[in-house]
């Protein structure tokens, strides 16, 4: 096929004007451009390291080929290098470097490596199986097609090169047309593969066969969207990173469909919009996604910025960048920069937000980088990419993580994989030294769980979330339930309730951020200290407990980890028990104010007797001039007609908060009936 037919046919691609967009990124995205040109130069020199923002399995060491490239080379024990290598995301960097510099060395390298791969890695050879998984096949279609668009006008893209390119793209598409099963329906693999198929159908010259690629890809993508995406917009695998890989693909579909007058249903468009809005809900104030499940710490504002342009949505801009960033500029074209600049950013009205179908709940004190951000999870495992994170919490404040998910580190079926997937790597509770899931290998789980009792409520002064799970019921006969009371703006009370008739040992874990230090003030009081935070944690309960600081690990990116520290609180009990963890955030720009925590007795107003600790408990929490009483009932207590009395306060309800420093001593704020 003549190169001119690809570049100047009636098909429209992503950016409308390559040179306009190149000028935009030169003037506005210097740091990202320097990174891309560095990768492009390394690629020219056959040196490969995967450290782009959305490289799913990043590497820290370069692999250099002095002669012919071995596309099936595997350094160490991890085949993920082969998979990432055979996706060729770095070829887009070659294209972007060419678009900005017009240096033909980038086009020459692209043409040589492209034709070399096609000649040396044929699909029919069983030895090349790792290069031809469906996920790599789909990603190659995206990356090859996008990369080629940058080289318009280069003499390196001869008609012979274009013939090889289009023949191989067609072979990729034909292969994907033969693959459709229940795994692809439910997995992000299916979306990544069929997104590539859609791109091939739209970007190759129009024929009856390419129209079939487009139609079949849309049929599959519609089915995948319908089954994989919860009503709250979350991709069911419970991994923000893979959620965003899928979101990116669907945004590509919307962009190409609109540019090429391909009709999509309103339901399709609305679901993709919901997926994009999830990032506004769950991104931290610094713009990064949580390291939940198999996720790295990645700034998601590029995807949110692109989505804001696609949907012309000011709320999405509120979660995006101030201006088009490097990647979004290439996705939507610099011609959209004016539209984006003129869009007034907005934030959701409520600072308490929930994604109830996936079981994720969020509290904020604001949207600036110094704000407090808290996440509580009680939902499904999320298949192979999920971790044992039932009832896990994350806390961010003053521009920094405080209590974190340990991350993922590796996919290799070895002890480190399970070290990071295990409940002990999350801010949750273990029973008898075990987490609620049992792993058979890197991807399969032999013992599943069920999340129950999910509640979320917001009021002017407080917010509340609750969830429990059945993961310990068949192994230990224990129902684990966690309640979170947020006393706005900076105090969190976490009640971990263990319902059982037996005798068990328990562990409560809080993983600090390795950038700070966990220090002990006394037996029940600890602090996370850094240049940005001085956060207190006070433990209280009616059963004896002990807390220490353990050495653990924290991984923010694949193939890398740092030594870390974790608070581990242990206790043993027969029958019901409850541990309270009170977390008090202190701003670095104000005087430190210690929080005081006291368990106070709760009486029955009808019987004038003291309730047992297994029935109802009250916690008096004082910070500065503010004093609150939080009353939590572990079981029903109003028999016959009864109210409780504690610290001079009278009320009713399952969870009730009183502002006792303001003289509020009747009724209070009932968070749970």
């Amino acid at each position: 096929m003549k190169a001119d037919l690809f570049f100047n046919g009636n098909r429209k691609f992503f950016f409308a004007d390559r040179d306009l967009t190149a000028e935009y990124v030169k003037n506005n995205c210097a740091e990202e451009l320097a990174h891309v040109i560095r990768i492009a130069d390394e690629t020219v020199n056959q040196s490969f390291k995967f450290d782009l923002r959305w490289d799913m399995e990043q590497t820290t060491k370069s692999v250099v080929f002095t002669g012919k490239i071995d596309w099936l080379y595997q350094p160490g024990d991890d085949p993920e290098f082969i998979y990432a290598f055979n996706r060729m995301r770095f070829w887009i960097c070659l294209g972007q470097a060419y678009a900005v510099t017009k240096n033909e060395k980038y086009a020459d390298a692209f043409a040589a490596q492209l034709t070399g791969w096609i000649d040396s890695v044929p699909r029919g050879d069983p030895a090349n199986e790792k290069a031809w998984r469906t996920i790599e096949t789909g990603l190659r279609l995206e990356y090859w097609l996008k990369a080629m668009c940058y080289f318009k006008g280069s003499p390196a893209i001869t008609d012979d090169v274009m013939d090889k390119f289009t023949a191989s793209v067609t072979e990729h598409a034909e292969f994907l047309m033969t693959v459709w099963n229940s795994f692809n329906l439910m997995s992000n693999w299916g979306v990544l593969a069929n997104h590539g198929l859609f791109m091939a159908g739209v970007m190759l010259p129009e024929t009856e066969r390419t129209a079939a690629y487009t139609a079949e890809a849309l049929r599959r993508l519609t089915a995948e969207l319908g089954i994989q995406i919860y009503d709250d917009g979350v991709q069911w695998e419970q991994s923000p990173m893979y959620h965003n890989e899928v979101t990116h693909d669907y945004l590509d579909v919307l962009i190409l469909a609109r540019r090429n007058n391909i009709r999509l249903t309103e339901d399709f468009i609305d679901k993709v919009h919901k997926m994009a809005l999830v990032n506004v809900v769950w991104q931290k104030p610094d713009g990064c996604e949580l390291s939940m499940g198999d996720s790295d710490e990645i700034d998601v504002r590029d995807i949110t910025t692109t989505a804001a342009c696609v949907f012309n949505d000011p709320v999405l801009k509120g979660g995006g960048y101030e201006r088009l960033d490097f990647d979004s500029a290439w996705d939507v074209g610099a011609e959209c920069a004016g539209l984006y600049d003129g869009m007034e950013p907005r934030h959701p009205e409520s600072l308490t937000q929930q994604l109830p179908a996936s079981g994720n709940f969020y509290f904020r004190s604001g949207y600036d980088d110094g704000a407090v951000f808290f996440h509580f999870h009680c939902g499904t495992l999320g298949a192979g990419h999920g971790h044992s994170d039932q009832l896990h919490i994350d806390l961010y404040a003053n521009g920094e993580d405080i209590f974190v998910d340990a991350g993922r580190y590796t996919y290799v079926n070895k002890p480190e994989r399970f070290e990071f997937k295990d409940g002990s790597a999350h801010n949750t509770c273990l029973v008898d030294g075990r987490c609620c899931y049992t792993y058979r290998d890197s991807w399969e789980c032999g013992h599943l769980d069920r999340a129950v009792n999910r509640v979320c409520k917001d009021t002017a002064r407080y917010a509340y979330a609750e969830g429990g799970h059945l993961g310990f019921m068949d192994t230990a006969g224990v129902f684990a339930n966690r309640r979170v009371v947020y006393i706005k703006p900076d105090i969190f009370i976490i009640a971990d309730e263990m319902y059982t008739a037996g005798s068990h040992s328990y562990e409560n874990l809080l993983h600090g951020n390795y950038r700070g230090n966990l220090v002990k003030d006394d037996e029940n009081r600890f602090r996370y200290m850094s240049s940005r935070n001085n956060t207190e944690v006070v433990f209280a309960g009616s059963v004896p407990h002990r807390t220490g600081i353990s050495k653990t690990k924290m991984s923010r990116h694949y193939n890398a980890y740092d030594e870390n520290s974790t608070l581990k609180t242990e206790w043993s009990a027969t029958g019901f028990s409850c541990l309270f963890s009170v977390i008090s955030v202190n701003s670095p720009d104000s005087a430190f104010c210690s929080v005081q925590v006291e368990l106070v007795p709760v009486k029955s107003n009808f019987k004038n007797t003291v309730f047992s600790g297994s029935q109802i408990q009250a916690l008096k929490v004082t910070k500065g001039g503010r004093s609150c009483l939080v009353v939590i009932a572990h079981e029903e207590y109003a028999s016959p007609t009864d109210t409780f009395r504690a610290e001079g306060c009278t009320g009713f309800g399952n969870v009730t908060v009183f502002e006792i420093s303001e003289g509020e001593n009747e009724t209070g704020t009932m968070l749970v009936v």
Side-chain angles (χ1 to χ4, degrees):
M1 182 180 80
K2 290 188 177 296
D4 184 64
L5 180 59
F6 178 84
F7 290 116
N8 297 313
N10 60 358
R11 299 304 190 115
K12 295 180 180 177
F13 303 147
F14 289 88
F15 47 86
D17 188 326
R18 180 194 62 188
D19 294 339
L20 177 68
T21 304
E23 192 65 24
Y24 176 88
V25 300
K26 264 202 303 190
N27 294 333
N28 296 284
C29 311
E31 185 176 344
E32 291 166 289
L33 178 59
H35 186 185
V36 164
I37 288 180
R38 188 262 292 168
I39 292 173
D41 288 336
E42 290 172 352
T43 303
V44 169
N45 295 321
Q46 300 188 161
S47 176
F48 301 95
K49 181 174 69 173
F50 310 126
D51 64 356
L52 286 165
R53 182 191 310 213
W54 290 105
D55 281 333
M56 286 184 277
E57 288 78 46
Q58 293 194 352
T59 58
T60 57
K61 296 179 181 178
S62 297
V63 172
V64 182
F65 298 94
T66 56
K68 183 180 179 181
I69 296 174
D70 179 2
W71 293 102
L72 298 175
Y73 176 73
Q74 177 178 313
D77 61 358
D78 193 350
E80 294 295 336
F81 182 89
I82 298 176
Y83 305 146
F85 196 25
N86 284 273
R87 293 166 187 165
M88 291 87 167
R89 174 61 178 82
F90 41 82
W91 286 353
I92 290 181
C93 296
L94 285 176
Q96 291 167 337
Y98 178 80
V100 171
T101 67
K102 299 302 189 294
N103 190 324
E104 289 297 330
K105 71 177 182 178
Y106 300 119
D108 291 339
F110 172 69
Q113 291 179 18
L114 170 70
T115 56
W117 186 91
I118 293 170
D119 289 340
S120 61
V121 193
R123 191 176 77 81
D125 187 342
N128 300 328
E129 183 180 4
K130 288 181 179 178
W132 279 94
R133 301 191 309 173
T134 55
I135 183 175
E136 275 68 60
T137 304
L139 285 166
R140 273 199 300 276
L141 285 174
E142 175 190 355
Y143 298 158
W144 286 20
L145 285 159
K146 284 184 175 178
M148 183 59 81
C149 294
Y150 295 100
F151 294 108
K152 180 179 181 180
S154 170
I157 309 302
T158 65
D159 291 347
D160 287 343
V161 169
M162 188 59 74
D163 280 341
K164 274 200 165 185
F165 170 77
T166 53
S168 187
V169 167
T170 300
E171 181 184 25
H172 282 60
E174 290 294 340
F175 169 47
L176 291 180
M177 287 288 279
T178 69
V179 181
W180 178 246
N181 52 35
S182 62
F183 172 77
N184 286 274
L185 177 65
M186 281 303 294
S187 172
N188 66 78
W189 280 39
V191 176
L192 272 61
N194 291 305
H195 157 257
L197 180 62
F198 177 82
M199 288 186 61
V202 174
M203 296 178 71
L204 288 177
E206 189 171 5
T207 65
E208 188 175 319
R209 190 59 182 161
T210 59
Y213 297 161
T214 303
E216 177 61 12
L218 275 181
R219 185 192 71 77
R220 296 176 183 182
L221 287 163
T222 301
E224 289 159 349
L225 191 64
I227 198 168
Q228 290 188 32
I229 309 305
Y230 288 133
D231 287 345
D232 57 16
V234 174
Q235 201 267 351
W236 82 283
E237 292 176 278
Q238 294 283 19
S239 162
M241 189 182 80
Y242 286 96
H243 170 94
N244 278 304
E245 289 291 341
V246 170
T247 303
H248 160 80
D249 286 358
Y250 278 108
L251 288 172
D252 272 1
V253 171
L254 261 62
I255 292 167
L256 283 181
R258 287 179 180 177
R259 287 177 183 252
N260 292 278
N261 298 314
I262 298 169
R263 183 183 175 278
L264 301 174
T265 67
E266 286 302 314
D267 183 62
F268 189 106
I269 296 167
D270 289 346
K271 269 215 163 173
V272 180
H273 195 178
K274 267 189 175 179
M275 292 179 71
L277 286 167
V278 165
N279 275 334
V280 175
V281 174
W282 71 15
Q283 73 183 34
K284 297 183 293 184
D286 63 359
C288 289
E289 65 184 16
L290 294 164
S291 297
M292 179 182 176
D294 282 341
S295 298
D296 290 344
E297 184 180 70
I298 303 173
D299 191 329
V300 301
R301 285 176 289 181
D302 59 335
I303 289 179
T304 313
T305 298
T306 298
C309 291
V310 169
F311 295 106
N312 194 22
D313 186 342
V315 173
L316 285 167
K317 184 174 182 180
Y321 288 112
E322 184 178 347
R323 304 195 69 187
L324 288 186
D325 63 283
F326 185 88
D327 287 331
S328 63
W330 289 116
D331 281 343
V332 300
E335 56 270 19
C336 292
L339 169 71
Y340 190 77
D341 287 346
M343 195 185 305
E344 192 68 31
R346 288 197 290 110
H347 296 299
E349 292 182 8
S350 176
L351 294 174
T352 294
Q353 294 164 314
Q354 52 182 311
L355 301 170
S358 60
N360 291 287
F361 308 93
Y362 306 86
F363 303 144
R364 296 176 185 266
S365 66
Y367 284 94
D368 61 281
D369 189 39
V372 175
F373 171 85
F374 182 95
H375 165 236
F376 172 56
H377 172 66
C378 182
T380 59
L381 170 67
H385 286 300
H387 289 196
S388 187
D389 57 1
Q390 285 290 33
L391 313 188
H392 168 85
I393 63 105
D394 298 276
L395 177 63
Y396 175 106
N398 302 315
E400 178 185 51
D401 290 302
I402 299 174
F403 294 118
V404 298
D405 188 309
R408 60 172 177 156
Y409 180 59
T410 187
Y411 286 162
V412 179
N413 192 26
K414 58 183 181 179
E416 289 91 337
R417 172 62 165 159
F418 307 105
E419 180 181 353
F420 284 89
K421 287 192 79 163
D422 192 73
S424 60
H426 298 85
N427 300 322
T428 186
C429 290
L430 311 183
V431 176
D432 298 331
R434 298 180 60 183
C435 68
C436 60
Y437 292 107
T438 303
Y439 296 105
R440 290 177 175 165
D441 56 31
S442 285
W443 305 108
E444 188 175 359
C445 190
H447 174 261
L448 296 174
D449 191 5
R450 184 187 173 197
V452 297
N453 203 37
R454 295 183 292 195
V455 179
C456 186
K457 184 174 181 178
D458 186 44
T459 70
R461 292 184 292 187
Y462 322 108
Y464 178 80
E466 177 179 1
H469 70 89
L470 306 180
F472 298 122
M473 287 296 292
D474 58 346
T475 57
V478 176
F479 171 63
N481 195 62
R482 172 166 276 186
R483 299 164 181 249
V484 181
V485 179
Y486 176 30
I487 299 176
K488 300 177 182 181
D490 55 14
I491 296 174
F492 298 89
I493 299 169
I494 302 171
D496 284 304
E497 303 169 312
M498 302 296 171
Y499 292 88
T500 183
S503 299
H504 299 280
S505 61
Y506 305 96
E507 296 173 34
N508 174 289
L509 300 156
L510 284 173
H511 295 261
N513 177 4
Y514 74 93
R515 296 183 177 96
N517 295 298
L518 291 174
V519 297
K520 179 178 179 179
D521 286 349
D522 59 43
E523 291 303 314
N524 291 310
R525 185 181 297 269
F526 293 76
R527 280 189 282 169
Y528 170 83
M529 299 183 68
S530 71
S531 61
R532 298 186 177 191
N533 280 286
N534 190 348
T535 293
E536 285 187 300
V537 185
V538 181
F539 298 99
S542 55
V543 293
H545 54 272
R546 58 192 179 279
T547 304
I549 301 174
S550 304
K551 293 298 180 185
T552 53
K553 297 172 184 174
M554 174 180 169
S555 173
R556 278 291 162 261
H557 291 281
Y558 195 85
N559 280 323
Y561 71 81
D562 293 280
E563 299 295 332
N564 199 28
S565 297
T566 297
L567 293 177
K568 180 191 290 186
T569 303
E570 301 174 285
W571 76 100
S572 297
T574 299
F576 174 85
S577 62
C578 178
L579 176 76
F580 292 99
S581 309
V582 180
I583 303 173
S584 173
V585 177
N586 287 280
S587 171
D589 58 3
S590 60
F592 176 74
C593 187
S594 184
V595 66
Q596 304 303 313
V597 179
E598 179 187 358
L599 272 172
V600 299
V602 185
K603 290 186 176 182
S604 161
N605 275 316
F606 183 81
K607 300 173 184 175
N608 200 32
T609 56
V610 177
F611 287 112
S612 70
S614 63
Q615 290 179 295
I616 187 169
Q617 291 179 287
L619 213 59
K620 182 181 178 182
V621 179
T622 303
K623 182 177 181 180
R626 186 182 187 188
S627 187
C628 294
L629 184 76
V630 179
V631 182
I632 295 179
H634 307 301
E635 63 179 48
E636 287 191 89
Y637 58 86
S639 175
T641 302
D642 206 352
T643 54
F644 61 73
R645 184 171 73 256
E647 198 72 9
C649 298
T650 295
F652 180 70
N654 202 280
V655 179
T656 306
V657 186
F658 300 84
E659 292 277 346
I660 55 180
S661 54
E662 296 182 6
E664 184 183 88
N665 56 15
E666 275 192 336
T667 308
T669 300
M670 192 186 305
L671 297 176
V672 183
V673 176

